[in-house]
Structure formats: structure tokens, C-alpha cells
Amino acid sequence: MTTFRRFIVFQTFLLWQGGFLFYTAIVVPAGTQVLGSAAAQGAITARVTEALNLIAVVGLLAFAWELNSSRDSHVRRTRMRWWCWGVAVVCQCVLFFAHHLLTAFMDAERMSVTITPPFYPVHRLYLWASTLQWLACLVMLPLTLAAWKAEDIAS
């Protein structure tokens, strides 16, 4: 069961964080260039972020399973992992809320922004929450790998 749990955690992490990183680093700039504007790319992003947010929930659940099942004897590392997980959960709540607001500021087909003044501050909040969540996960991953190594040595 330990191997299966770790496999699920690792795969969901790769899909979630790898997908996020690939989308932000490659797809958004390419889409903006091909479509000719950030606004046109935003119509795609409005849809993709729905999937990324759902994948994040699966990733957070997988990490919660891992943290609850872990037998890491290093208390400080376990606390740090829970803290990172908590930050990621709070950020995900902000992302769901901000996404809901951003969608409300767009037309029904989500092709363009119709309520401009509040859109950009909320979008900035979304970007900051995404970045903070990514950083929390960036810290959580090596801590998790170290916990797995410690568990394997202990057993």
C-alpha cells in the first residue's frame, strides 16, 4: 500500500504542478503570440484553469492521504509538510473564489471581459495565489521525498 500511495501522490503532483508550470511557461506565451493578444489567450485560460483547479483538489487530497499515512519520525519535517499543505489549501480556496469572480466579469461565453475595473486586481490576486501555492508545493516535494527516504531506512 505504501508504494501505491506514493505512486498516486507523485503522479498527481506531476500532473498538477507540471501541468501548471507547462501551461504558464509555454502555453500562455505561445497562445498569446498565436492569437495576437493576452485577451484572446484569456478566453482559453478561463477554461483551462477550471481543469487545473480540479486537478489541484485531487493533488491536495493525495497529499493529505500521504501526510495522514506517513510514518516519518522527524516531527519538524512533518509539521513543515502540513504547513505547506495548509498554505496550498488556502491558496486553492482563494483560486476558486477568484476564478468565480473573474468568470462573473466576463461575457456568458467567456470570450471577453465585460466588467473591466475589478477584473485586473482580482486577476492579480489569482496570479499571486497561484505563485504562492506553487512555492508551497516546491517546498513540500523535497520534504516529502526526504520523509519517504527516512521511512524506508527505518523499516
Side-chain angles (χ1 to χ4, degrees):
M1 190 60 155
T2 299
T3 302
F4 176 72
R5 184 185 78 239
R6 290 177 181 179
F7 175 79
I8 296 299
V9 168
F10 194 65
Q11 289 300 313
T12 57
F13 184 83
L14 289 175
L15 180 61
W16 172 25
Q17 291 299 302
F20 168 76
L21 193 56
F22 180 77
Y23 190 76
T24 57
I26 306 298
V27 176
V28 170
T32 301
Q33 183 181 21
V34 169
L35 298 173
S37 73
Q41 172 60 40
I44 295 169
T45 299
R47 288 156 181 83
V48 171
T49 52
E50 289 173 355
L52 282 174
N53 284 333
L54 292 177
I55 291 167
V57 170
V58 173
L60 289 166
L61 290 173
F63 266 102
W65 179 30
E66 161 57 29
L67 285 160
N68 278 314
S69 302
S70 178
R71 299 293 169 244
D72 183 15
S73 62
H74 195 280
V75 176
R76 186 169 181 250
R77 179 172 49 227
T78 301
R79 284 185 187 145
M80 287 285 296
R81 290 171 67 207
W82 274 113
W83 185 85
C84 290
W85 182 84
V87 169
V89 167
V90 169
C91 288
Q92 191 58 50
C93 291
V94 170
L95 292 172
F96 276 124
F97 178 70
H99 188 272
H100 177 73
L101 288 176
L102 291 169
T103 301
F105 300 149
M106 299 179 81
D107 64 359
E109 293 80 35
R110 292 184 295 166
M111 296 299 290
S112 64
V113 175
T114 56
I115 306 174
T116 306
F119 181 86
Y120 293 104
V122 174
H123 186 260
R124 200 168 10 260
L125 171 68
Y126 193 95
L127 295 176
W128 278 110
S130 296
T131 302
L132 181 57
Q133 185 181 62
W134 176 75
L135 287 171
C137 289
L138 200 61
V139 172
M140 188 166 49
L141 181 60
L143 292 172
T144 299
L145 295 175
W148 289 353
K149 183 177 179 180
E151 284 181 75
D152 291 345
I153 290 170
S155 59

